[in-house]
Amino acid sequence: MSVEYSLYKLGCSINTYRNKVGIGHGRPFIPEISKEDSKIAIESMGMIVELLLSKLKQDKGTV
């Protein structure tokens, strides 16, 4: 449960950062995000998605 909560907080933090720098909002400027930060954000969201999909499969009984 602790890991799930930590991943939830990580997802919220990434979303807040994404909104702050303007990624994906169609703004007319280049976002100020480093390649390293964007890579970490993408990989982190991938981990969160993996967990969610795993939970979904467990709930449906298709492990």
Side-chain angles (χ1 to χ4, degrees):
M1 192 63 130
S2 165
V3 171
E4 290 176 16
Y5 180 70
S6 296
L7 287 174
Y8 170 78
K9 294 287 286 179
L10 176 62
C12 290
S13 296
I14 291 170
N15 188 51
T16 299
Y17 183 64
R18 184 189 70 90
N19 289 337
K20 180 180 175 187
V21 297
I23 299 169
H25 292 283
R27 294 183 182 154
F29 57 86
I30 296 174
E32 296 177 12
I33 186 170
S34 70
K35 287 183 181 181
E36 294 84 14
D37 286 347
S38 62
K39 182 179 177 188
I40 289 170
I42 291 166
E43 290 174 351
S44 297
M45 294 309 288
M47 286 190 309
I48 294 167
V49 168
E50 274 189 65
L51 175 68
L52 292 173
L53 289 174
S54 174
K55 294 285 185 181
L56 183 63
K57 286 180 184 177
Q58 285 177 0
D59 288 346
K60 292 190 176 205
T62 57
V63 177

